[in-house]
Amino acid sequence: TIIIVHDLRAPIQTILLQTRWFQRHVSDGQVTVPESAIRRIEKQALQLSRMTTDLLDLTMILIGVSVVTLGESLHQHAAQSR
């Protein structure tokens, strides 16, 4: 659990640091943001999304609920249709 929490904190910290930097550089209600900063935030948000999906899947497995991804479900449906 400690490892999972630590892994979740890292991308959150990156996103918070970036947004706080943006807030310090506001001019007339606008912020000019380097594209690299937007990409960094997007990368961290995608990482959080993957980790939370994985955590949810693991939780479902641990409580005994079958986990099937959309891709697997579509593949099985196609195989049954033949």
Side-chain angles (χ1 to χ4, degrees):
T1 304
I2 292 172
I3 294 170
I4 293 170
V5 170
H6 181 268
D7 287 350
L8 289 171
R9 283 183 60 186
I12 292 170
Q13 289 298 93
T14 299
I15 292 169
L16 286 173
L17 286 171
Q18 288 290 299
T19 56
R20 288 178 183 152
W21 185 88
F22 300 156
Q23 290 172 347
R24 287 193 309 266
H25 294 86
V26 174
S27 176
D28 294 328
Q30 300 290 317
V31 178
T32 300
V33 179
E35 185 179 355
S36 62
I38 294 170
R39 291 189 191 280
R40 224 177 351 265
I41 290 172
E42 179 183 35
K43 179 181 175 185
Q44 297 302 313
L46 289 169
Q47 182 178 351
L48 279 171
S49 178
R50 283 190 304 272
M51 287 191 302
T52 54
T53 298
D54 291 348
L55 185 57
L56 178 60
D57 289 349
L58 176 61
T59 302
M60 299 298 272
I61 290 167
L62 290 174
I63 63 172
V65 175
S66 177
V67 177
V68 177
T69 64
L70 179 59
E72 291 171 348
S73 181
L74 292 174
H75 177 71
Q76 290 171 351
H77 178 70
Q80 292 172 354
S81 301
R82 293 182 193 163

